[in-house]
Amino acid sequence: MRIPLSWIREYTQFPADGTPEDLMAALVRVGLEEEDVHRPSDEISGPIVVGEVLEKVPEPQSNGKTINWCQVRVVPEGAQQQLSGDGISADGVQGVVCGAHNFEVGDKVVVTLPGAVLPGNFRISARKTYGHLSAGMIASAKELGLGEDHSGILVLGELGLDPEPGDDALELLGLTDSAAEINVTPDRGYAFSIRGVAREYSHATGTEFTDPASQVQIAEATSAGHEVILDDDAPIYGTPGCDSFVARTVTGINPAAPTPPWMAARLRLAGMRPISLPVDISNYVMWELGQPLHFYDADKLQGPIRVRRAAAGEQLTTLDEKQRTLNPEDLVIADDRGAIGLAGVMGGAATEVDAETSTVLIESAHFDPISIGRTRRRHKLPSEASKRNERGVDPLLAAVAAQRAVDLLVELAGGTDTGAITSAGEPVLPEPITLDQQRAERLTGGPYGAQQVTESLIAVGCAVEALETGELSVTPPSWRPDLTIAEDLVEEIARLVGYDQIPSRLPVAPAGRGLTQDQQRRRTVLSGLAAAGYTEVLSYPFYSEEANQLFGRGSDEQPLDMVRLANPIASQYPTLRTSLLPGLLDALRRNVSRGFGDLALFESGSVFLPGQGLGSTEIPGLGAHPGDAVLEDLQAGIPDQPLHIAAALCGREPAATVGQPGRARDWADAVEAARTVAHLLNVDLEIAQGQHQAFHPGRTAQLMVAGRPVGCAGELHPKVVQAQDLPERTSAMELDLGAVMQAAASQVTASAISTFPPTTQDVALIVAESVTAAELERTLAEGAGGLLEHIELFDVYSGQGIEQGQKSMAYALRFRAADRTLTVEEASEAREAAVALAAQRHGAVQRS
C-alpha cells in the first residue's frame, strides 16, 4: 500500500517537511511494516518550467521528416529570466527544436531547460541539431514519467490547466510529491486506504485525525434508483455473498474530460496507471476510503441488476478481454442477459464505460470476504478491488463512497446527479465482546489500568460500555471485522499503548520439574552418537509410497499400510514416513554430491503407523468442551507414532590422509551404531542374521531386545544403492528407539569394582556354518557360570584345515571372583563347563 504524503496530510497533522521515512517510522510503532520509499524527484530534476509557444515554424528536412523550430517564453510576460546556466536565455525566450506537431502557438507546454535531468538519467543540454541551437526540450508525458503516451508533447490546456509561464512544472504536475509504501497484513484490511493509514498515524503520534468519510454529505434520494435484487441461493457457510448494495446514477458526463493533474499524480504515486476520468475517479475513491467501486455504462444494462451465484458453465468476458467459464460458487453481478461482472473482483466487458458513455451507474457494495477470495483464487484474477474485498471492507462505507464518486463525477466530468438512489440489503455489524478489564494485563504483563484500557479501545473506534459485573461490553467499529474475541481487543490495547511497554521477563521454571526419563534417555542417545562422530540431520516426514514400501515394514508381496495426506506438500510425497531411512539416505546422497564422501549421519524422529482406523467420526464444535467420549474418539484416530533412530554411513573412517588410507566403512559399522545406542541405554542388544528387502541378503543383521525385533542393520542392497545413486557399500541401521528405551532399567545399579585380579582364557570351537556367533556366545556364557565376567568373539575362520560346512569361532573369556583370587584350576573348570555345554547344544568341537 503506497501512501502519497500530500494525500495523508489532508487528514492528519503530518508535518509539511516530513519524509516517507518519518511516516513509516510512525506506522511501524502501531504494527504496520515498512516496505519502500517512492520519490519521483530521485529520477527527475529541474529546471523544468511552464512555457508558452510564441512561434512555431515547420521546416521540412532532407530525410522526409518535418521538424518545428519554436520560440517558447519560459518567464512571465515582461519579466527577465532569473535562472542562469549554459544555454538558458536571459530574455526568457528559448529556441527549441521539436519533432511533435500536436500543439499550436499560444499553447502552454512543459519545457525542460538545459541542466534538467529526466527519468533514465537523460540530461538536457543546449545542442546543435537540424541547423539550430536547441536550448531545451518540449516534453511529452512519457519523457516526464507521467505515462506511456509518447505520441505528442504534453499540452497543459488539454488537462484543464492555464498556468503562468515560468511556473515550476514539477510542482504543477505533482512530481515533487513522494510516497511511503507499507506492507498490510491480512487482518488489517482497513489499512488498504488513506483513511485507514491516516487513522493509524494518529494512533502512533497522538495527533488529530479527520475522517475523510465524515466530510462527505450523503444526499437524500429524490427518486427510486436502478432495481437491484440480492439473490444468493447458495451462501458459503450460510453467509450471503452480498449483504448490502448501493447504486447511484450520474448522467451527462464527458468521458473524454481529462483527469486533473493532482489526481493523476496521486494515482501514479500510489502505483496505479491513470486510464480515463471515470476509471480514475473510481480508483481514487477506493484508495482514499478503502471501498471498491465499479462503474457501469447505464445505457448498456438490460433490466434489473441481480447479485447471484453463477450457473454451471456460464461464460463471462471480463475487462481484461478474457472469456472465463464460471463456477457455481462464483458470485456474479448479472442483468437480464446474464453475468456482467465477477462480484468484488472485476467487471465485465459488456457494460464497460467507454468513450461513448454519458450515463454512469455506480456500484458500491459489501461482499463476503470468503466468497470473493475463493473467486479470485479460482480465476487467478488478483485486483485492487479483490484485495480489499477479501480482507473485509467497512459495511457502512458503501453509501459514503458512492456519494464521493457522484460528487467527483459532477465536479470533474460535468455530470448531473439524478438523485436516484438504490439501497438494497442491510449490512451486518460486529457483535459486542465481553472483556475483563484485567485480561490485558494478565495476557501481556503490561501495567494497563482500567482507564487506559477504555481509552485505548475508544481510540480504536470501539463503543465501550461498563457492565454491572465490572466487565466491559465492547462493540468493535464497523471497519474492524478482525476484532471478534477478547484476545483481539487485548492485542489492540497492547498495540496502541506500545509494544515497547510490555515488560520482558524471563519465565521461572516451576520447582520440582524437569525432563522426563524418556527425554533424558533420548538426549543421552543423541549426545552419545554425536560424541561418537555422527552428525545429526533433520528431514521432512513426507515420503513417496515407493520409499515407504521399500524401507517400511512391508514387502513386495504385501502392501504396507500408510498414513495418506489430504493436502500433501507435493504430489510425489503423499504419505507420512514409516521409516527414517529414505530421508536420511536422501541427505547422505545430497552431501555426497557436494563433495563430502566420508559421512556418518543419524536422525531421530517419529514414524507414522496407521492402526485400525484413522480420523474421527465427527469434528467437535467450538466454544464448548467436547467431552471425554469425543476426546477418546479423536485420540483413537491418531496414528501410532513410535520414536525411531537411524544412521547411514559411507566412505572411510578415519578420512584418508597422507600415509593413512583409512578403513572402508561396512555393515559392521552399522551394527556398531546400533550397539552404541543400546550401550548408552544400558540395554542388552541381541544380534542375529536377518533379512530385509532394502538390505544385502548376506550382510543384514536383525536387532532384538529380549527376543523382540526392534530394528535391523547392515549393508544396503546393491540394487537400492544403484537406483538411489548412493556410494557403493553404503550401510545403515534403524532402531525402534521407543522400544529400546522401554527395555532400559528405570534405575541403573553400578556394579562393584572388584579388587581381585581377573583370569583370562581363550577357546576356539568348530561348529556348523548355521550356528551364529550370538547363539554360541550365549551358550558359553551359560556354561561358564557366575565366574564369567566378560566374553568376546575375536576370530572367525573357515578354510584350510576346517571341514566344508563348518567354521571356527574363537572367544576370549575373562573370569573373576568377587571374594578371592581365582586359581588357574577354577578358571579352567569354568571354561571346560562352557565347552561341554557348547558341545551338547551345537556339536561344538574344540579346535586344537
Side-chain angles (χ1 to χ4, degrees), residues 737-803:
L737 184 57
V740 179
M741 291 194 301
Q742 189 176 10
S746 58
Q747 288 186 340
V748 177
T749 303
S751 300
I753 300 176
S754 176
T755 59
F756 298 98
T759 298
T760 303
Q761 294 193 16
D762 295 342
V763 62
L765 300 174
I766 299 174
V767 295
E769 284 280 2
S770 59
V771 178
T772 66
E775 290 174 331
L776 186 56
E777 180 177 311
R778 284 195 296 270
T779 299
L780 290 172
E782 182 182 344
L787 294 179
L788 182 68
E789 183 180 71
H790 180 72
I791 180 171
E792 182 176 351
L793 176 71
F794 67 85
D795 181 60
V796 178
Y797 173 75
S798 60
Q800 186 176 1
I802 304 296
E803 292 183 13

Side-chain angles (χ1 to χ4, degrees), residues 798-815:
S798 60
Q800 186 176 1
I802 304 296
E803 292 183 13
Q804 186 77 19
Q806 292 189 318
K807 61 184 176 181
S808 169
M809 290 189 285
Y811 291 86
L813 308 178
R814 187 172 70 217
F815 300 96

